[in-house]
Amino acid sequence: MKKLVEMLNISKSFGDVRANDNVNLDLCEGEIHGIVGGNGAGKSTLMKILFGLLKPDSGKIKINGEEKRFNSTQDAINEKIGMVHQDFVLVDTLSALDNIILGREPVKFGFIKREDVKDEVIRLIKKYGLNFNPDDMVNKLTLGEQQRIELIKILMQDAKIIILDEPTASLTVSEVDALFNILKKLKDSKKSILFISHKLPEVIEISDRISIMRQGKIYTTINKNEANVEKLTELMTGEELKLEDSFYLFSGKEPVFKLENVKLKKNREVYLNISLEVKEGEILGVVGIEGNGQKELEGILSGFIKPDGGKIFFKGQCKRNISPEWLKESKISIIPSRKIEDGLVEDFTVYENCILGRIDEKKFSKFGLLQKKIIVKEAEKLIDEFNIEPYNPYIRVKYLSGGNQQKVILARELSKNPEFLIACNPTRGVDIKSTFFIRNRLLKLKEKGAGILLITSDIDEAFSITSRIAVLYRGRITGVFNTRETDEREIGFMMLGGEKRKAG
Amino acid sequence: MKKYLKEILFLLISICGAFFISGLIILFSGEHPSEVFSIFIEGIFGSTEGILYTLFFSTPLIFTGLSVAFALKGGLFNIGAEGQLYIGSMAAAFVGFTLVNFPPVVLIPLTILVSIIGGGLWGSIAGFLKAKFGSHEVINTIMLNFIAISLVGYLSSGPFKNPGDQIPQTPLISESARIPEIHTIFPAFPETVPLNISFFIAIFSAIFAYVLLKYTKLGYEIRSVGFNPDASRLSGISLIKINLLTMFISGAFAGMVSINEVLGYRYRFLNNFSPGYGYFGIAVALLGKNHPLGVIASAIFFGAISRGGLLVDIHSDRISRDVIFVIQGIIILFVISRELMSVIAKRKKYTAL
Ligand SMILES: Nc1ncnc2c1ncn2[C@@H]1O[C@H](COP(=O)(O)OP(=O)(O)O)[C@@H](O)[C@H]1O
Ligand SMILES: [Mg+2]
């Protein structure tokens, strides 16, 4: 096939970080080329270079065999390149159509004819099955639909080369399906697509070829038929990663933690009403599309929000609401979803963060004086056990990478020997190696008999480590399933408000 | 090491800049900048007297600088040192002129204690309001300044006024509540300088603050809340307790200004005695990088400017007091400009969340 894009020996450094190191990448006409790699592998950097957002330190870009220099995104757009960013922004309070008009370049002499644009938009929606109403307000649309607005903007610029940077990162299963149908149609009309993700099964499903990036280098490029998840994982991380085996084991003993009709009201209307129980030795996953009450549930569980009714049981003891002090006394650990804001003191060193919430333990202070030696020793133990990098208890936590920051929280919370752990998106934004590590530690804790409540927006995560999955929809638990008796489709269906079909 | 060199270089450049602009102002006032500057510098370093005066002027600033710096470590912006120092001073004066029959060993510690508690309690009102109702401590402390100033104004011109005096001031405190001046300990020092042992108490307080913050559990919790109240709260630290304690200690440092002003210098409460020590404390803390030991150095720097300014005032007819204030203001602005910027940037980030 003809090579439409060639990126040759591209290098780009940020200070000491070699984000791209002699990278070669090509894209053929009508091809979907997947790019996978852990956080910080350099995928976004490479794409930003192709889109003219960043200038490479060295290397060439050829379009149709002709060398090009991109000084701005406009140069890239002129070469029919379009990009949907990892975190695109739309104006919430405008309609989809207005957002599309906003994104267009000004037309010389005169006004954009709204109706013309609308006709064009409707034509594109029909052609590629984009399936949304251009007159809807953006804030009424799902994330998947908003993404399609971005796509239309690109298509209206007549892009032939489409870059999608982690488009599936926060989509539900069915939205991913919808996106893939669109991508197939785009491909049929001879568009070429660069598809970035770190979710391996979907990359394998949609791509014709797959390039694996690791530490700024393209490690290898393989064809779809050579690819499987294990192989890609190994190529991506340089080692074999797997989860501990026993994950579906389900103890079925006493509940350690229970919520009974825990409510939140707004204007006298109940918008959250949750009942669930977590048994000893199990991980209960709570999944749902963001915005269905996860934040509120986490707020109640961490004691920041007082519920307007209902009961909370911990080991038989009944409470009306939770306070952080009570969590501490009861040895309930929590991994908050906002790790920097709620889980760490960024300006503290690693060793100081390791004793956050444990400072009252006798060994850490005598007559009100901190026992620094003992604290540092404890921190070193945790750094060792959890492979926190760099091995330095004196470094400030803000200088650690996201994965290592998350490990500091995990290490600290597990070191409290909790009987119950609340984990909110514990692996979000964390690279695949640390993800495996964190999930394995959760499994280990469960094995020791602790109950774990895992609130996650990552269905894969729920399926890989939970014993049961509860679906959160519009502030209610709409179904609870044994993990091995359900599948992603059923859960995805429930997450969108579907009715439960069978007993769980 | 490189970092410190950069700091010092920056400081030198800003001092030069400040002197340049001040020079222009002096020129416009019709004096020779070089002459005025030499009076200024000589006034500070030219004699033992000058140096001791500098330390005398710096003493209240160490206390208020510590007050502001300590609160900032706990994440609170204490604009209220002015009010806290007045309350502490009035409390100390009251005990000092009331319990006249107590011996010094009891009365001196007692008056100091009262000034600590007075300033501390006044400060903790703002801490309480912040923790309980979330009302911003900047507003609270400013309001409490007005209240404190009116209150001590009323007391010193009404119930506690020294009968027969023309100005609002209390009676003198008992001899046994007074702390010794420095020349009674070091006879070689000139008797004219009112420097007293409160300077050493101030140094000791700074060391105390440093140790408290760095080596104690309470200090850990205060810094933790200062850096990140949400994470601290979630970890089980009581924000109410820590905010209260932070503001108590902060207010206590401000209250201790009375050790210099009441117990060591005026021997009474004089209404409006403070030329704004509490507000200067903000600049002192900023220049001292919020570090208790940095506060000492920075307070001495500010003390030196006051001393130099005073001498220029005495020796020059053309340069009025106001011009001196302007010059002092310019010097202060120059040296703290960078710290000011970073504080503003931080607060912006904080409120944007
Ligand atoms: N603007 C930037 N400034 C400094 N470092 C950056 C910048 N952008 C990316 N990096 C660094 O370059 C590396 C690659 O980042 P990125 O391309 O975003 O990775 P990916 O998209 O694969 O997760 C990371 O180590 C990241 O920290
Ligand atoms: Mg990226």
Side-chain angles (χ1 to χ4, degrees):
Chain A
M1 244 190 237
K2 205 176 83 184
K3 288 195 172 145
L4 191 56
V5 179
E6 287 169 278
M7 297 183 82
L8 301 169
N9 298 317
I10 301 283
S11 291
K12 173 83 190 170
S13 297
F14 298 103
D16 292 339
V17 182
R18 296 213 85 181
N20 283 171
D21 189 359
N22 250 319
V23 174
N24 289 293
L25 181 80
D26 56 61
L27 180 67
C28 303
E29 193 162 72
E31 175 192 44
I32 299 183
H33 190 146
I35 300 174
V36 298
N39 289 341
K43 307 176 299 278
S44 296
T45 303
L46 187 63
M47 294 304 112
K48 283 177 190 161
I49 289 172
L50 179 56
F51 192 50
L53 274 168
L54 289 174
K55 273 193 199 156
D57 299 338
S58 61
K60 286 183 208 163
I61 298 175
K62 287 186 181 174
I63 309 286
N64 280 320
E66 224 179 289
E67 188 177 338
K68 300 279 174 188
R69 270 181 195 283
F70 294 157
N71 289 316
S72 69
T73 56
Q74 195 52 49
D75 293 345
I77 291 169
N78 292 343
E79 295 299 330
K80 309 271 179 246
I81 300 175
M83 177 163 177
V84 176
H85 291 275
Q86 199 164 347
D87 24 42
F88 58 86
V89 204
L90 294 170
V91 185
D92 249 20
T93 47
L94 290 181
S95 72
L97 184 64
D98 288 332
N99 268 284
I100 292 166
I101 292 173
L102 263 185
R104 278 178 62 114
E105 326 156 37
V107 182
K108 262 187 197 162
F109 315 114
F111 305 93
I112 306 166
K113 274 207 183 135
R114 212 183 142 81
E115 289 311 310
D116 289 355
V117 178
K118 190 168 175 179
D119 289 347
E120 174 73 2
V121 168
I122 290 174
R123 191 182 69 79
L124 288 169
I125 288 179
K126 281 206 185 113
K127 182 167 176 195
Y128 297 113
L130 297 177
N131 209 7
F132 67 90
N133 179 355
D135 291 324
D136 276 351
M137 282 302 177
V138 165
N139 54 20
K140 294 264 158 54
L141 300 177
T142 66
L143 216 61
E145 287 164 335
Q146 294 183 15
Q147 209 169 49
R148 289 175 225 155
I149 298 176
E150 285 291 296
L151 256 181
I152 288 213
K153 283 193 199 168
I154 293 172
L155 292 172
M156 296 199 40
Q157 292 160 347
D158 201 23
K160 298 225 151 46
I161 299 156
I162 298 173
I163 304 168
L164 301 170
D165 195 357
E166 307 223 10
T168 60
S170 30
L171 295 188
T172 63
V173 180
S174 54
E175 280 182 321
V176 171
D177 282 350
L179 176 67
F180 281 7
N181 283 331
I182 296 166
L183 296 187
K184 281 173 198 151
K185 284 192 181 137
L186 287 169
K187 182 180 156 174
D188 290 343
S189 37
K190 287 273 180 291
K191 309 266 184 203
S192 309
I193 297 168
L194 281 163
F195 178 86
I196 297 168
S197 171
H198 54 233
K199 296 183 186 167
L200 302 175
E202 59 182 41
V203 178
I204 297 172
E205 181 187 335
I206 193 74
S207 312
D208 300 309
R209 282 189 301 159
I210 299 165
S211 289
I212 293 104
M213 269 196 107
R214 189 164 105 205
Q215 290 172 350
K217 294 196 174 82
I218 293 246
Y219 206 67
T220 178
T221 301
I222 59 179
N223 285 322
K224 181 193 187 104
N225 49 22
E226 304 167 71
N228 62 47
V229 173
E230 287 71 35
K231 185 170 171 187
L232 286 186
T233 309
E234 223 176 304
L235 287 170
M236 239 167 93
T237 58
E239 58 194 274
E240 209 183 332
L241 296 176
K242 58 175 201 275
L243 286 176
E244 314 257 324
D245 280 335
S246 61
F247 33 105
Y248 288 122
L249 290 181
F250 168 51
S251 71
K253 275 189 235 150
E254 285 297 292
V256 54
F257 187 83
K258 202 160 110 182
L259 298 180
E260 225 175 75
N261 292 315
V262 170
K263 290 186 195 69
L264 274 183
K265 290 182 191 165
K266 195 155 67 190
N267 306 328
R268 284 211 223 113
E269 207 172 299
V270 178
Y271 71 100
L272 190 85
N273 186 348
I274 291 187
S275 300
L276 55 80
E277 62 177 45
V278 183
K279 300 195 168 77
E280 299 177 334
E282 81 158 344
I283 301 180
L284 174 72
V286 172
V287 302
I289 299 167
E290 266 332 73
N292 274 284
Q294 288 90 338
K295 249 204 277 174
E296 291 78 4
L297 178 59
E298 181 184 347
I300 291 171
L301 293 175
S302 46
F304 285 158
I305 303 177
K306 276 211 169 67
D308 298 311
K311 291 178 189 160
I312 298 160
F313 294 90
F314 175 62
K315 294 201 294 182
Q317 177 197 358
C318 176
K319 292 199 62 86
R320 293 274 161 199
N321 61 55
I322 289 176
S323 70
E325 288 85 359
W326 177 77
L327 289 175
K328 186 160 118 184
E329 282 159 26
S330 315
K331 289 195 152 205
I332 296 176
S333 281
I334 181 158
I335 299 175
S337 56
R338 308 187 314 160
K339 51 189 175 232
I340 293 295
E341 293 88 342
D342 296 336
L344 292 169
V345 178
E346 261 193 305
D347 290 291
F348 266 179
T349 60
V350 170
Y351 82 82
E352 285 170 311
N353 270 289
C354 280
I355 52 163
L356 197 63
R358 292 182 65 194
I359 186 75
D360 287 334
E361 283 177 32
K362 280 208 188 73
K363 60 179 171 188
F364 293 139
S365 63
K366 267 200 194 97
F367 309 114
L369 289 175
L370 292 175
Q371 300 299 300
K372 189 171 160 189
K373 268 195 196 138
I374 296 174
I375 295 169
V376 170
K377 223 190 211 154
E378 174 77 11
E380 281 171 343
K381 201 184 94 195
L382 296 177
I383 291 174
D384 232 3
E385 194 185 333
F386 288 79
N387 293 320
I388 295 165
E389 279 169 32
Y391 188 104
N392 179 1
Y394 300 100
I395 195 174
R396 280 175 207 272
V397 148
K398 65 176 165 196
Y399 299 125
L400 297 184
S401 73
N404 283 300
Q405 289 177 339
Q406 190 72 307
K407 280 190 195 169
V408 171
I409 301 178
L410 183 81
R412 180 186 70 218
E413 294 308 316
L414 296 190
S415 69
K416 295 177 184 166
N417 282 321
E419 288 178 57
F420 179 56
L421 170 74
I422 300 154
C424 307
N425 283 318
T427 61
R428 175 158 28 179
V430 169
D431 67 26
I432 190 155
K433 215 165 132 186
S434 307
T435 297
F436 270 79
F437 183 86
I438 291 169
R439 288 181 187 165
N440 275 328
R441 295 305 302 222
L442 296 183
L443 289 168
K444 235 190 211 167
L445 178 69
K446 179 200 89 158
E447 224 101 295
K448 283 204 282 184
I452 299 176
L453 180 63
L454 172 72
I455 302 175
T456 180
S457 50
D458 180 349
I459 298 201
D460 283 346
E461 175 153 281
F463 274 93
S464 60
I465 57 173
T466 61
S467 325
R468 293 186 301 146
I469 295 178
V471 178
L472 183 63
Y473 177 72
R474 296 210 176 146
R476 266 99 177 147
I477 299 290
T478 50
V480 182
F481 303 85
N482 283 332
T483 304
R484 67 183 139 181
E485 288 163 11
T486 181
D487 57 21
E488 306 208 351
R489 242 151 251 286
E490 184 175 31
I491 297 294
F493 173 74
M494 295 289 299
M495 279 165 60
L496 288 170
E499 297 286 320
K500 195 173 168 186
R501 275 172 289 180
K502 55 184 180 193
Chain B
M1 212 47 236
K2 229 175 154 183
K3 207 175 95 189
Y4 287 112
L5 279 179
K6 235 171 101 183
E7 288 294 330
I8 290 172
L9 193 69
F10 183 85
L11 198 64
L12 286 178
I13 293 173
S14 14
I15 291 177
C16 291
F19 270 78
F20 179 73
I21 297 201
S22 314
L24 290 181
I25 294 176
I26 294 168
L27 215 55
F28 280 124
S29 319
E31 284 271 8
H32 280 292
S34 59
E35 266 174 38
V36 174
F37 285 143
S38 71
I39 296 174
F40 187 83
I41 303 287
E42 268 218 34
I44 302 166
F45 300 109
S47 59
T48 326
E49 206 182 353
I51 293 173
L52 295 182
Y53 253 111
T54 291
L55 298 184
F56 172 70
F57 284 131
S58 69
T59 307
L61 298 178
I62 297 178
F63 285 122
T64 54
L66 274 181
S67 170
V68 176
F70 193 88
L72 269 177
K73 284 278 182 197
L76 299 172
F77 209 169
N78 181 15
I79 315 276
E82 190 76 1
Q84 292 145 16
L85 73 87
Y86 273 125
I87 296 289
S89 299
M90 180 51 96
F94 175 73
V95 171
F97 70 70
T98 316
L99 307 175
V100 282
N101 294 326
F102 281 46
V105 276
V106 182
L107 197 54
I108 291 176
L110 187 66
T111 40
I112 292 179
L113 191 70
V114 190
S115 67
I116 289 176
I117 294 175
L121 286 179
W122 201 254
S124 35
I125 298 175
F128 175 78
L129 292 174
K130 162 92 175 186
K132 192 76 191 170
F133 306 109
S135 50
H136 204 291
E137 76 276 5
V138 168
I139 313 283
N140 292 337
T141 49
I142 291 175
M143 291 305 181
L144 284 164
N145 280 349
F146 291 130
I147 299 173
I149 289 166
S150 317
L151 184 66
V152 297
Y154 163 73
L155 290 175
S156 59
S157 56
F160 298 161
K161 183 165 183 272
N162 195 28
D165 280 355
Q166 293 302 309
I167 47 172
Q169 60 182 8
T170 64
L172 288 169
I173 58 171
S174 152
E175 295 269 349
S176 36
R178 300 179 190 179
I179 58 169
E181 290 188 341
I182 213 86
H183 60 82
T184 60
I185 305 169
F186 302 104
F189 287 165
E191 277 184 38
T192 46
V193 186
L195 181 69
N196 54 67
I197 60 165
S198 65
F199 176 71
F200 299 108
I201 298 179
I203 301 283
F204 175 79
S205 304
I207 296 170
F208 173 81
Y210 176 73
V211 171
L212 176 71
L213 284 169
K214 184 147 188 211
Y215 295 106
T216 69
K217 190 179 140 197
L218 177 62
Y220 172 90
E221 293 181 327
I222 288 174
R223 286 182 299 128
S224 177
V225 169
F227 283 134
N228 187 343
D230 288 341
S232 307
R233 176 91 195 89
L234 187 60
S235 81
I237 294 175
S238 158
L239 292 190
I240 297 193
K241 179 181 131 193
I242 296 300
N243 278 348
L244 261 177
L245 278 173
T246 304
M247 282 307 289
F248 182 90
I249 296 169
S250 169
F253 284 134
M256 288 168 83
V257 165
S258 70
I259 304 173
N260 185 51
E261 297 290 319
V262 177
L263 308 188
Y265 176 44
R266 296 178 202 280
Y267 307 131
R268 61 161 30 118
F269 182 95
L270 166 71
N271 197 30
N272 283 331
F273 72 79
S274 164
Y277 292 137
Y279 302 111
F280 275 116
I282 299 167
V284 171
L286 285 175
L287 181 62
K289 299 234 168 283
N290 267 336
H291 191 293
L293 306 182
V295 162
I296 298 179
S298 132
I300 290 176
F301 174 77
F302 280 89
I305 299 178
S306 307
R307 162 70 186 171
L310 191 70
L311 279 214
V312 172
D313 190 17
I314 294 169
H315 286 282
S316 160
D317 296 333
R318 295 216 185 88
I319 297 184
S320 68
R321 260 200 114 101
D322 302 327
V323 175
I324 291 166
F325 283 143
V326 169
I327 292 172
Q328 288 174 341
I330 287 171
I331 297 177
I332 292 171
L333 262 184
F334 261 86
V335 296
I336 68 168
S337 57
R338 197 155 57 141
E339 282 74 20
L340 210 57
M341 294 313 278
S342 67
V343 166
I344 290 168
K346 249 193 210 149
R347 289 197 75 82
K348 264 202 184 135
K349 187 180 136 205
Y350 203 71
T351 43
L353 281 177

